[in-house]
Amino acid sequence: MPNVIIDCLEGRTVEQKRQMVKRVTEAIVQTLDCSPEAVQIIIHEIRDDQLARGGVLRLDQKK
Amino acid sequence: MPNVIIDCLEGRTVEQKRQMVKRVTEAIVQTLDCSPEAVQIIIHEIRDDQLARGGVLRLDQKK
Amino acid sequence: MPNVIIDCLEGRTVEQKRQMVKRVTEAIVQTLDCSPEAVQIIIHEIRDDQLARGGVLRLDQKK
Amino acid sequence: MPNVIIDCLEGRTVEQKRQMVKRVTEAIVQTLDCSPEAVQIIIHEIRDDQLARGGVLRLDQKK
Amino acid sequence: MPNVIIDCLEGRTVEQKRQMVKRVTEAIVQTLDCSPEAVQIIIHEIRDDQLARGGVLRLDQKK
Amino acid sequence: MPNVIIDCLEGRTVEQKRQMVKRVTEAIVQTLDCSPEAVQIIIHEIRDDQLARGGVLRLDQKK
């Protein structure tokens, strides 16, 4: 705790995720006053037919 | 916001998901009085060995 | 299953939630081809200091 | 309800998951005083580049 | 990891929750072969106007 | 999308949350290459009798 679940579109590289978890953990440690070890981050990578906004799949928004 | 996360068994077609996000967004817009753009829907598709009810995997319930 | 978790701002009436779960369940049943009893909806009602977009709390977006 | 979402590293066998949902359901039924049928368990299996603690991906912690 | 999020109706005592997290952690440790310290459990306690099945709020199912 | 759900212990000030969402959004924008507007953050604030690690409630770990 804090526990962070990030849903994002698939396609990011491991290096992008590496930098992201490092920077997000720093941001939380420095603002919520907790230890780095306390911060757990779980990434759910989803496809563009599994995400919608305004009633339209992301898949269809790109056409 | 509203943010909707739907966990459902894999196997639905893109067309089923297309219709589902459209209809769910309409339902939320018309009852919670928000704009369509405000409604985000994330779909987690899971396998029948990743779902259980009554202590039994869905995989085993179908035998 | 399908399991639906809806995070939305607090302040809706019970009647709005009553209509919302009815309409969302209908939408899912008619598009994902499942029974009404299979659809579970969980509502997380959050405050405007617990939601942010673009790096700004909803609380501060309303000023 | 109770609804249980378990995020865990991929790689467990179906038999491990079979035993896990059985035992977790028993634990919840016997302590929260509900029926087995009321307990739904959803398993999200994630990779070691989708999990981080202390700002480091699990992938990099194993090196 | 494993990370467990349990949504359940409010009203359980602290003692029930104390026993539940103990027993669920034991169940996961003994079946998924991980350490007790690795298991994090988060409990979301919700009201009966925040839960629905079959399109009906739990609040209305009790009448 | 990206959608971020942060479960953390209650007790942080609005100012802490204000800084946290700002810094976490910057971290995600600069590493996952998306716009600030795309990043939604939802904060679930929980009590120490709703969180456990190693089978022990946080409430009991502080004694």
Side-chain angles (χ1 to χ4, degrees), chain B:
Chain B
M1 190 63 51
N3 192 71
V4 184
I5 297 183
I6 299 176
D7 278 87
C8 63
L9 279 173
E10 61 183 10
R12 271 70 177 210
T13 64
V14 171
E15 184 54 27
Q16 281 183 292
K17 288 181 276 188
R18 187 172 284 134
Q19 291 308 317
M20 183 272 281
V21 299
K22 182 173 178 290
R23 290 281 313 277
V24 166
T25 300
E26 282 165 8
I28 289 176
V29 165
Q30 291 166 11
T31 54
L32 297 192
D33 187 19
C34 63
S35 76
E37 271 313 302
V39 181
Q40 174 167 268
I41 299 176
I42 296 168
I43 305 169
H44 294 155
E45 298 185 66
I46 60 170
R47 301 191 306 267
D48 58 11
D49 69 330
Q50 298 174 323
L51 169 65
R53 179 173 290 285
V56 179
L57 288 176
R58 168 65 65 97
L59 172 71
D60 297 330
Q61 292 172 6
K62 297 193 295 187
K63 290 173 184 168

Short mmCIF file of all heavy atoms in Angstrom, two decimals, chain B:
data_model
loop_
_atom_site.label_atom_id
_atom_site.label_comp_id
_atom_site.label_asym_id
_atom_site.label_seq_id
_atom_site.Cartn_x
_atom_site.Cartn_y
_atom_site.Cartn_z
N MET B 1 -14.94 9.61 -16.05
CA MET B 1 -15.86 9.27 -14.94
C MET B 1 -17.27 9.49 -15.46
O MET B 1 -17.52 10.52 -16.04
CB MET B 1 -15.57 10.20 -13.77
CG MET B 1 -16.23 9.88 -12.50
SD MET B 1 -15.84 8.32 -11.72
CE MET B 1 -14.08 8.28 -11.65
N PRO B 2 -18.11 8.52 -15.38
CA PRO B 2 -17.97 7.23 -14.74
C PRO B 2 -17.00 6.30 -15.46
O PRO B 2 -16.87 6.37 -16.68
CB PRO B 2 -19.39 6.66 -14.79
CG PRO B 2 -20.30 7.82 -15.04
CD PRO B 2 -19.48 8.81 -15.75
N ASN B 3 -16.25 5.54 -14.67
CA ASN B 3 -15.30 4.57 -15.21
C ASN B 3 -15.88 3.18 -14.98
O ASN B 3 -16.28 2.84 -13.88
CB ASN B 3 -13.97 4.70 -14.47
CG ASN B 3 -12.88 3.92 -15.19
OD1 ASN B 3 -12.47 4.36 -16.27
ND2 ASN B 3 -12.44 2.82 -14.62
N VAL B 4 -15.94 2.39 -16.07
CA VAL B 4 -16.60 1.08 -16.00
C VAL B 4 -15.57 0.00 -16.35
O VAL B 4 -14.98 0.04 -17.43
CB VAL B 4 -17.77 1.01 -17.00
CG1 VAL B 4 -18.52 -0.32 -16.88
CG2 VAL B 4 -18.73 2.19 -16.80
N ILE B 5 -15.33 -0.93 -15.42
CA ILE B 5 -14.45 -2.06 -15.73
C ILE B 5 -15.32 -3.32 -15.77
O ILE B 5 -15.99 -3.65 -14.80
CB ILE B 5 -13.32 -2.19 -14.70
CG1 ILE B 5 -12.43 -0.95 -14.74
CG2 ILE B 5 -12.50 -3.46 -14.97
CD1 ILE B 5 -11.23 -0.98 -13.80
N ILE B 6 -15.34 -3.98 -16.91
CA ILE B 6 -16.16 -5.17 -17.10
C ILE B 6 -15.25 -6.38 -17.27
O ILE B 6 -14.45 -6.45 -18.19
CB ILE B 6 -17.08 -5.02 -18.34
CG1 ILE B 6 -18.02 -3.81 -18.17
CG2 ILE B 6 -17.87 -6.30 -18.58
CD1 ILE B 6 -18.89 -3.52 -19.36
N ASP B 7 -15.34 -7.31 -16.31
CA ASP B 7 -14.66 -8.60 -16.45
C ASP B 7 -15.66 -9.58 -17.05
O ASP B 7 -16.74 -9.77 -16.50
CB ASP B 7 -14.18 -9.11 -15.07
CG ASP B 7 -12.86 -8.49 -14.64
OD1 ASP B 7 -12.89 -7.40 -14.02
OD2 ASP B 7 -11.81 -9.08 -14.95
N CYS B 8 -15.32 -10.18 -18.18
CA CYS B 8 -16.23 -11.16 -18.78
C CYS B 8 -15.42 -12.28 -19.42
O CYS B 8 -14.23 -12.11 -19.72
CB CYS B 8 -17.14 -10.49 -19.80
SG CYS B 8 -16.30 -9.77 -21.22
N LEU B 9 -16.07 -13.43 -19.63
CA LEU B 9 -15.39 -14.56 -20.26
C LEU B 9 -14.99 -14.19 -21.69
O LEU B 9 -15.73 -13.52 -22.41
CB LEU B 9 -16.31 -15.78 -20.27
CG LEU B 9 -16.36 -16.58 -18.96
CD1 LEU B 9 -17.43 -17.65 -19.02
CD2 LEU B 9 -15.00 -17.21 -18.64
N GLU B 10 -13.83 -14.64 -22.11
CA GLU B 10 -13.37 -14.40 -23.47
C GLU B 10 -14.29 -15.15 -24.44
O GLU B 10 -15.07 -16.01 -24.04
CB GLU B 10 -11.93 -14.88 -23.64
CG GLU B 10 -11.71 -16.37 -23.39
CD GLU B 10 -10.26 -16.80 -23.50
OE1 GLU B 10 -9.36 -15.91 -23.58
OE2 GLU B 10 -10.00 -18.00 -23.50
N GLY B 11 -14.20 -14.76 -25.72
CA GLY B 11 -15.00 -15.48 -26.72
C GLY B 11 -16.05 -14.63 -27.41
O GLY B 11 -16.60 -15.03 -28.42
N ARG B 12 -16.34 -13.41 -26.86
CA ARG B 12 -17.29 -12.55 -27.56
C ARG B 12 -16.62 -11.95 -28.79
O ARG B 12 -15.42 -11.77 -28.84
CB ARG B 12 -17.77 -11.40 -26.64
CG ARG B 12 -18.99 -11.72 -25.81
CD ARG B 12 -18.78 -12.70 -24.71
NE ARG B 12 -20.00 -12.90 -23.92
CZ ARG B 12 -20.01 -13.22 -22.64
NH1 ARG B 12 -18.85 -13.31 -21.99
NH2 ARG B 12 -21.15 -13.43 -21.99
N THR B 13 -17.46 -11.66 -29.82
CA THR B 13 -16.91 -11.08 -31.05
C THR B 13 -16.71 -9.57 -30.85
O THR B 13 -17.29 -8.96 -29.93
CB THR B 13 -17.93 -11.27 -32.20
OG1 THR B 13 -19.12 -10.53 -31.87
CG2 THR B 13 -18.28 -12.76 -32.39
N VAL B 14 -15.92 -8.96 -31.77
CA VAL B 14 -15.74 -7.51 -31.71
C VAL B 14 -17.10 -6.82 -31.87
O VAL B 14 -17.39 -5.84 -31.18
CB VAL B 14 -14.75 -7.05 -32.81
CG1 VAL B 14 -14.73 -5.52 -32.91
CG2 VAL B 14 -13.34 -7.59 -32.52
N GLU B 15 -17.95 -7.40 -32.74
CA GLU B 15 -19.25 -6.77 -32.96
C GLU B 15 -20.09 -6.79 -31.68
O GLU B 15 -20.75 -5.80 -31.35
CB GLU B 15 -20.02 -7.48 -34.09
CG GLU B 15 -21.34 -6.84 -34.46
CD GLU B 15 -21.24 -5.36 -34.78
OE1 GLU B 15 -20.15 -4.91 -35.24
OE2 GLU B 15 -22.22 -4.62 -34.51
N GLN B 16 -20.02 -7.90 -30.92
CA GLN B 16 -20.75 -7.94 -29.63
C GLN B 16 -20.22 -6.86 -28.69
O GLN B 16 -20.99 -6.16 -28.04
CB GLN B 16 -20.59 -9.33 -28.98
CG GLN B 16 -21.48 -10.41 -29.57
CD GLN B 16 -21.30 -11.72 -28.83
OE1 GLN B 16 -20.23 -12.35 -28.89
NE2 GLN B 16 -22.32 -12.17 -28.13
N LYS B 17 -18.91 -6.73 -28.63
CA LYS B 17 -18.32 -5.71 -27.74
C LYS B 17 -18.67 -4.30 -28.23
O LYS B 17 -18.93 -3.39 -27.43
CB LYS B 17 -16.80 -5.90 -27.65
CG LYS B 17 -16.42 -7.14 -26.84
CD LYS B 17 -14.92 -7.33 -26.73
CE LYS B 17 -14.33 -8.03 -27.90
NZ LYS B 17 -12.90 -8.39 -27.69
N ARG B 18 -18.70 -4.12 -29.55
CA ARG B 18 -19.08 -2.83 -30.15
C ARG B 18 -20.48 -2.41 -29.70
O ARG B 18 -20.72 -1.30 -29.26
CB ARG B 18 -19.00 -2.96 -31.68
CG ARG B 18 -19.20 -1.70 -32.46
CD ARG B 18 -18.91 -1.95 -33.94
NE ARG B 18 -17.47 -2.04 -34.21
CZ ARG B 18 -16.91 -3.01 -34.97
NH1 ARG B 18 -17.64 -3.98 -35.50
NH2 ARG B 18 -15.60 -3.01 -35.17
N GLN B 19 -21.39 -3.37 -29.79
CA GLN B 19 -22.79 -3.08 -29.40
C GLN B 19 -22.89 -2.89 -27.89
O GLN B 19 -23.61 -2.01 -27.41
CB GLN B 19 -23.70 -4.22 -29.87
CG GLN B 19 -23.87 -4.32 -31.38
CD GLN B 19 -24.29 -3.01 -31.99
OE1 GLN B 19 -25.16 -2.30 -31.45
NE2 GLN B 19 -23.66 -2.64 -33.12
N MET B 20 -22.14 -3.70 -27.15
CA MET B 20 -22.22 -3.63 -25.69
C MET B 20 -21.77 -2.27 -25.16
O MET B 20 -22.48 -1.63 -24.37
CB MET B 20 -21.38 -4.75 -25.06
CG MET B 20 -21.45 -4.80 -23.53
SD MET B 20 -20.25 -3.78 -22.66
CE MET B 20 -18.79 -4.83 -22.82
N VAL B 21 -20.61 -1.76 -25.64
CA VAL B 21 -20.12 -0.47 -25.12
C VAL B 21 -21.07 0.66 -25.51
O VAL B 21 -21.28 1.62 -24.75
CB VAL B 21 -18.67 -0.18 -25.58
CG1 VAL B 21 -17.71 -1.26 -25.08
CG2 VAL B 21 -18.55 0.01 -27.09
N LYS B 22 -21.67 0.54 -26.71
CA LYS B 22 -22.64 1.56 -27.15
C LYS B 22 -23.84 1.60 -26.21
O LYS B 22 -24.23 2.66 -25.71
CB LYS B 22 -23.08 1.24 -28.60
CG LYS B 22 -24.06 2.23 -29.23
CD LYS B 22 -24.28 1.88 -30.72
CE LYS B 22 -25.30 2.83 -31.35
NZ LYS B 22 -26.68 2.51 -30.79
N ARG B 23 -24.41 0.41 -25.97
CA ARG B 23 -25.63 0.32 -25.17
C ARG B 23 -25.36 0.64 -23.69
O ARG B 23 -26.16 1.32 -23.04
CB ARG B 23 -26.21 -1.10 -25.31
CG ARG B 23 -26.78 -1.43 -26.68
CD ARG B 23 -28.16 -0.86 -26.89
NE ARG B 23 -29.03 -1.10 -25.74
CZ ARG B 23 -29.68 -2.26 -25.56
NH1 ARG B 23 -29.56 -3.27 -26.44
NH2 ARG B 23 -30.45 -2.41 -24.50
N VAL B 24 -24.25 0.18 -23.15
CA VAL B 24 -23.93 0.46 -21.74
C VAL B 24 -23.70 1.96 -21.55
O VAL B 24 -24.17 2.57 -20.58
CB VAL B 24 -22.70 -0.36 -21.28
CG1 VAL B 24 -22.15 0.17 -19.95
CG2 VAL B 24 -23.05 -1.83 -21.14
N THR B 25 -23.01 2.59 -22.52
CA THR B 25 -22.77 4.04 -22.42
C THR B 25 -24.10 4.79 -22.44
O THR B 25 -24.34 5.68 -21.61
CB THR B 25 -21.86 4.50 -23.57
OG1 THR B 25 -20.61 3.80 -23.48
CG2 THR B 25 -21.61 6.00 -23.52
N GLU B 26 -24.99 4.41 -23.35
CA GLU B 26 -26.32 5.05 -23.41
C GLU B 26 -27.04 4.90 -22.06
O GLU B 26 -27.61 5.87 -21.52
CB GLU B 26 -27.17 4.41 -24.52
CG GLU B 26 -26.82 4.86 -25.92
CD GLU B 26 -27.44 3.94 -26.98
OE1 GLU B 26 -28.25 3.04 -26.62
OE2 GLU B 26 -27.05 4.07 -28.16
N ALA B 27 -27.00 3.69 -21.51
CA ALA B 27 -27.69 3.42 -20.25
C ALA B 27 -27.16 4.33 -19.13
O ALA B 27 -27.93 4.89 -18.34
CB ALA B 27 -27.52 1.95 -19.87
N ILE B 28 -25.85 4.48 -19.08
CA ILE B 28 -25.24 5.30 -18.01
C ILE B 28 -25.52 6.79 -18.23
O ILE B 28 -25.89 7.51 -17.31
CB ILE B 28 -23.72 5.01 -17.93
CG1 ILE B 28 -23.49 3.60 -17.36
CG2 ILE B 28 -23.01 6.06 -17.11
CD1 ILE B 28 -22.07 3.15 -17.32
N VAL B 29 -25.39 7.23 -19.48
CA VAL B 29 -25.64 8.65 -19.79
C VAL B 29 -27.07 9.03 -19.42
O VAL B 29 -27.31 10.08 -18.80
CB VAL B 29 -25.40 8.91 -21.30
CG1 VAL B 29 -25.99 10.26 -21.74
CG2 VAL B 29 -23.90 8.86 -21.61
N GLN B 30 -28.02 8.17 -19.74
CA GLN B 30 -29.43 8.52 -19.54
C GLN B 30 -29.88 8.36 -18.08
O GLN B 30 -30.92 8.87 -17.70
CB GLN B 30 -30.30 7.66 -20.47
CG GLN B 30 -30.10 8.05 -21.95
CD GLN B 30 -30.67 7.01 -22.91
OE1 GLN B 30 -31.41 6.10 -22.50
NE2 GLN B 30 -30.31 7.12 -24.19
N THR B 31 -29.12 7.65 -17.27
CA THR B 31 -29.55 7.48 -15.87
C THR B 31 -28.68 8.27 -14.90
O THR B 31 -29.15 8.74 -13.87
CB THR B 31 -29.51 5.98 -15.48
OG1 THR B 31 -28.19 5.47 -15.77
CG2 THR B 31 -30.54 5.18 -16.26
N LEU B 32 -27.40 8.41 -15.18
CA LEU B 32 -26.52 9.13 -14.25
C LEU B 32 -26.27 10.58 -14.69
O LEU B 32 -25.50 11.31 -14.08
CB LEU B 32 -25.18 8.39 -14.09
CG LEU B 32 -25.23 6.99 -13.48
CD1 LEU B 32 -23.82 6.52 -13.11
CD2 LEU B 32 -26.13 6.94 -12.24
N ASP B 33 -26.94 10.97 -15.83
CA ASP B 33 -26.90 12.38 -16.24
C ASP B 33 -25.46 12.88 -16.43
O ASP B 33 -24.98 13.79 -15.74
CB ASP B 33 -27.61 13.24 -15.18
CG ASP B 33 -27.75 14.68 -15.65
OD1 ASP B 33 -27.63 14.90 -16.88
OD2 ASP B 33 -27.91 15.57 -14.80
N CYS B 34 -24.75 12.21 -17.36
CA CYS B 34 -23.39 12.65 -17.69
C CYS B 34 -23.25 12.62 -19.21
O CYS B 34 -24.13 12.12 -19.91
CB CYS B 34 -22.36 11.73 -17.04
SG CYS B 34 -22.44 10.02 -17.60
N SER B 35 -22.13 13.12 -19.72
CA SER B 35 -21.95 13.13 -21.19
C SER B 35 -21.38 11.80 -21.65
O SER B 35 -20.65 11.12 -20.88
CB SER B 35 -20.97 14.24 -21.56
OG SER B 35 -19.64 13.83 -21.23
N PRO B 36 -21.65 11.42 -22.90
CA PRO B 36 -21.08 10.17 -23.42
C PRO B 36 -19.54 10.16 -23.32
O PRO B 36 -18.94 9.17 -22.95
CB PRO B 36 -21.54 10.14 -24.88
CG PRO B 36 -22.78 10.99 -24.90
CD PRO B 36 -22.53 12.07 -23.89
N GLU B 37 -18.93 11.31 -23.59
CA GLU B 37 -17.47 11.38 -23.57
C GLU B 37 -16.90 11.10 -22.18
O GLU B 37 -15.74 10.70 -22.04
CB GLU B 37 -17.02 12.79 -24.00
CG GLU B 37 -16.83 12.92 -25.50
CD GLU B 37 -16.03 11.79 -26.10
OE1 GLU B 37 -14.87 11.58 -25.66
OE2 GLU B 37 -16.56 11.03 -26.95
N ALA B 38 -17.72 11.30 -21.16
CA ALA B 38 -17.23 11.10 -19.78
C ALA B 38 -17.13 9.62 -19.42
O ALA B 38 -16.44 9.23 -18.49
CB ALA B 38 -18.17 11.80 -18.79
N VAL B 39 -17.84 8.77 -20.20
CA VAL B 39 -17.93 7.35 -19.85
C VAL B 39 -16.79 6.56 -20.50
O VAL B 39 -16.67 6.51 -21.74
CB VAL B 39 -19.28 6.75 -20.31
CG1 VAL B 39 -19.37 5.27 -19.91
CG2 VAL B 39 -20.45 7.53 -19.69
N GLN B 40 -15.94 5.99 -19.67
CA GLN B 40 -14.85 5.13 -20.17
C GLN B 40 -15.18 3.69 -19.79
O GLN B 40 -15.55 3.43 -18.64
CB GLN B 40 -13.50 5.55 -19.57
CG GLN B 40 -12.34 4.61 -19.92
CD GLN B 40 -10.99 5.21 -19.58
OE1 GLN B 40 -10.33 5.86 -20.40
NE2 GLN B 40 -10.56 5.04 -18.34
N ILE B 41 -15.02 2.76 -20.73
CA ILE B 41 -15.28 1.35 -20.47
C ILE B 41 -14.03 0.55 -20.79
O ILE B 41 -13.45 0.69 -21.87
CB ILE B 41 -16.48 0.83 -21.30
CG1 ILE B 41 -17.76 1.59 -20.95
CG2 ILE B 41 -16.67 -0.67 -21.08
CD1 ILE B 41 -18.97 1.22 -21.77
N ILE B 42 -13.60 -0.26 -19.83
CA ILE B 42 -12.44 -1.14 -19.99
C ILE B 42 -12.93 -2.58 -19.86
O ILE B 42 -13.67 -2.89 -18.93
CB ILE B 42 -11.39 -0.84 -18.90
CG1 ILE B 42 -10.83 0.58 -19.05
CG2 ILE B 42 -10.26 -1.87 -18.94
CD1 ILE B 42 -10.02 1.07 -17.87
N ILE B 43 -12.56 -3.42 -20.80
CA ILE B 43 -13.03 -4.81 -20.81
C ILE B 43 -11.84 -5.73 -20.52
O ILE B 43 -10.83 -5.70 -21.22
CB ILE B 43 -13.63 -5.18 -22.18
CG1 ILE B 43 -14.74 -4.21 -22.59
CG2 ILE B 43 -14.15 -6.62 -22.17
CD1 ILE B 43 -15.20 -4.37 -24.04
N HIS B 44 -11.98 -6.52 -19.44
CA HIS B 44 -10.99 -7.57 -19.15
C HIS B 44 -11.61 -8.90 -19.59
O HIS B 44 -12.64 -9.29 -19.05
CB HIS B 44 -10.67 -7.62 -17.66
CG HIS B 44 -9.98 -6.42 -17.12
ND1 HIS B 44 -10.04 -6.03 -15.80
CD2 HIS B 44 -9.19 -5.47 -17.73
CE1 HIS B 44 -9.32 -4.93 -15.62
NE2 HIS B 44 -8.80 -4.56 -16.78
N GLU B 45 -11.00 -9.55 -20.57
CA GLU B 45 -11.54 -10.83 -21.03
C GLU B 45 -10.73 -11.95 -20.37
O GLU B 45 -9.51 -12.00 -20.47
CB GLU B 45 -11.49 -10.89 -22.56
CG GLU B 45 -12.35 -9.78 -23.19
CD GLU B 45 -12.42 -9.87 -24.70
OE1 GLU B 45 -13.00 -10.84 -25.21
OE2 GLU B 45 -11.88 -8.95 -25.36
N ILE B 46 -11.42 -12.85 -19.69
CA ILE B 46 -10.71 -13.87 -18.91
C ILE B 46 -11.12 -15.26 -19.39
O ILE B 46 -12.15 -15.45 -20.02
CB ILE B 46 -10.99 -13.70 -17.40
CG1 ILE B 46 -12.46 -13.83 -17.08
CG2 ILE B 46 -10.44 -12.36 -16.91
CD1 ILE B 46 -12.71 -13.90 -15.60
N ARG B 47 -10.25 -16.24 -19.06
CA ARG B 47 -10.51 -17.63 -19.48
C ARG B 47 -11.34 -18.36 -18.42
O ARG B 47 -11.48 -17.88 -17.29
CB ARG B 47 -9.17 -18.37 -19.67
CG ARG B 47 -8.23 -17.76 -20.68
CD ARG B 47 -7.08 -18.74 -20.98
NE ARG B 47 -6.42 -19.14 -19.74
CZ ARG B 47 -5.35 -18.52 -19.23
NH1 ARG B 47 -4.83 -17.48 -19.84
NH2 ARG B 47 -4.77 -18.96 -18.10
N ASP B 48 -11.85 -19.54 -18.78
CA ASP B 48 -12.70 -20.26 -17.80
C ASP B 48 -11.87 -20.93 -16.70
O ASP B 48 -12.44 -21.52 -15.78
CB ASP B 48 -13.59 -21.28 -18.53
CG ASP B 48 -12.80 -22.30 -19.34
OD1 ASP B 48 -11.54 -22.36 -19.19
OD2 ASP B 48 -13.41 -23.04 -20.12
N ASP B 49 -10.56 -20.86 -16.77
CA ASP B 49 -9.75 -21.33 -15.62
C ASP B 49 -9.30 -20.14 -14.77
O ASP B 49 -8.42 -20.25 -13.90
CB ASP B 49 -8.53 -22.13 -16.10
CG ASP B 49 -7.49 -21.25 -16.82
OD1 ASP B 49 -7.91 -20.25 -17.43
OD2 ASP B 49 -6.29 -21.56 -16.75
N GLN B 50 -9.90 -18.96 -15.03
CA GLN B 50 -9.58 -17.75 -14.27
C GLN B 50 -10.82 -17.18 -13.58
O GLN B 50 -10.83 -16.06 -13.13
CB GLN B 50 -8.96 -16.68 -15.20
CG GLN B 50 -7.66 -17.11 -15.85
CD GLN B 50 -7.14 -16.13 -16.87
OE1 GLN B 50 -7.92 -15.52 -17.61
NE2 GLN B 50 -5.83 -15.96 -16.95
N LEU B 51 -11.87 -17.98 -13.56
CA LEU B 51 -13.15 -17.54 -12.98
C LEU B 51 -13.71 -18.67 -12.14
O LEU B 51 -13.67 -19.84 -12.55
CB LEU B 51 -14.13 -17.20 -14.10
CG LEU B 51 -15.60 -16.98 -13.69
CD1 LEU B 51 -15.72 -15.76 -12.79
CD2 LEU B 51 -16.47 -16.83 -14.93
N ALA B 52 -14.23 -18.32 -10.97
CA ALA B 52 -14.82 -19.38 -10.11
C ALA B 52 -16.03 -18.82 -9.37
O ALA B 52 -16.11 -17.63 -9.07
CB ALA B 52 -13.80 -19.87 -9.09
N ARG B 53 -16.98 -19.72 -9.14
CA ARG B 53 -18.12 -19.40 -8.27
C ARG B 53 -18.39 -20.64 -7.42
O ARG B 53 -18.28 -21.76 -7.91
CB ARG B 53 -19.36 -19.02 -9.09
CG ARG B 53 -20.58 -18.70 -8.22
CD ARG B 53 -21.75 -18.16 -9.02
NE ARG B 53 -21.46 -16.82 -9.51
CZ ARG B 53 -21.48 -15.73 -8.72
NH1 ARG B 53 -21.74 -15.86 -7.44
NH2 ARG B 53 -21.21 -14.54 -9.20
N GLY B 54 -18.73 -20.43 -6.14
CA GLY B 54 -18.99 -21.57 -5.26
C GLY B 54 -17.77 -22.45 -5.05
O GLY B 54 -17.88 -23.63 -4.75
N GLY B 55 -16.57 -21.87 -5.28
CA GLY B 55 -15.34 -22.62 -5.04
C GLY B 55 -14.93 -23.53 -6.18
O GLY B 55 -14.00 -24.34 -6.05
N VAL B 56 -15.62 -23.41 -7.33
CA VAL B 56 -15.33 -24.29 -8.47
C VAL B 56 -14.99 -23.44 -9.70
O VAL B 56 -15.70 -22.48 -10.02
CB VAL B 56 -16.55 -25.19 -8.80
CG1 VAL B 56 -16.26 -26.10 -9.99
CG2 VAL B 56 -16.97 -26.00 -7.56
N LEU B 57 -13.90 -23.78 -10.38
CA LEU B 57 -13.54 -23.07 -11.61
C LEU B 57 -14.64 -23.25 -12.65
O LEU B 57 -15.26 -24.32 -12.75
CB LEU B 57 -12.22 -23.63 -12.19
CG LEU B 57 -10.91 -23.32 -11.46
CD1 LEU B 57 -9.75 -24.04 -12.15
CD2 LEU B 57 -10.64 -21.81 -11.41
N ARG B 58 -14.89 -22.20 -13.46
CA ARG B 58 -15.90 -22.31 -14.54
C ARG B 58 -15.54 -23.48 -15.44
O ARG B 58 -16.42 -24.20 -15.92
CB ARG B 58 -15.95 -21.00 -15.31
CG ARG B 58 -16.73 -21.05 -16.61
CD ARG B 58 -18.21 -21.31 -16.40
NE ARG B 58 -18.86 -20.24 -15.71
CZ ARG B 58 -19.55 -19.26 -16.32
NH1 ARG B 58 -19.58 -19.22 -17.65
NH2 ARG B 58 -20.14 -18.32 -15.63
N LEU B 59 -14.24 -23.66 -15.67
CA LEU B 59 -13.71 -24.78 -16.47
C LEU B 59 -14.30 -26.10 -15.99
O LEU B 59 -14.69 -26.96 -16.80
CB LEU B 59 -12.18 -24.82 -16.30
CG LEU B 59 -11.41 -25.99 -16.87
CD1 LEU B 59 -11.39 -25.91 -18.40
CD2 LEU B 59 -9.95 -25.98 -16.37
N ASP B 60 -14.39 -26.29 -14.70
CA ASP B 60 -14.87 -27.55 -14.12
C ASP B 60 -16.39 -27.58 -14.01
O ASP B 60 -16.98 -28.65 -13.85
CB ASP B 60 -14.24 -27.77 -12.73
CG ASP B 60 -12.71 -27.90 -12.83
OD1 ASP B 60 -12.23 -28.37 -13.88
OD2 ASP B 60 -12.02 -27.47 -11.88
N GLN B 61 -17.00 -26.45 -14.11
CA GLN B 61 -18.47 -26.44 -13.98
C GLN B 61 -19.11 -26.91 -15.28
O GLN B 61 -20.25 -27.31 -15.31
CB GLN B 61 -18.96 -25.02 -13.65
CG GLN B 61 -18.55 -24.55 -12.28
CD GLN B 61 -18.88 -23.08 -12.04
OE1 GLN B 61 -19.50 -22.43 -12.88
NE2 GLN B 61 -18.41 -22.54 -10.93
N LYS B 62 -18.32 -26.86 -16.38
CA LYS B 62 -18.90 -27.16 -17.71
C LYS B 62 -18.81 -28.66 -18.00
O LYS B 62 -19.29 -29.13 -19.00
CB LYS B 62 -18.18 -26.37 -18.79
CG LYS B 62 -18.35 -24.86 -18.62
CD LYS B 62 -17.91 -24.09 -19.84
CE LYS B 62 -16.43 -24.22 -20.11
NZ LYS B 62 -15.96 -23.34 -21.20
N LYS B 63 -18.09 -29.42 -17.14
CA LYS B 63 -17.93 -30.86 -17.42
C LYS B 63 -19.23 -31.60 -17.08
O LYS B 63 -19.95 -31.20 -16.20
CB LYS B 63 -16.75 -31.41 -16.58
CG LYS B 63 -15.40 -30.88 -17.10
CD LYS B 63 -14.22 -31.26 -16.21
CE LYS B 63 -12.92 -30.62 -16.73
NZ LYS B 63 -11.82 -30.72 -15.77
#
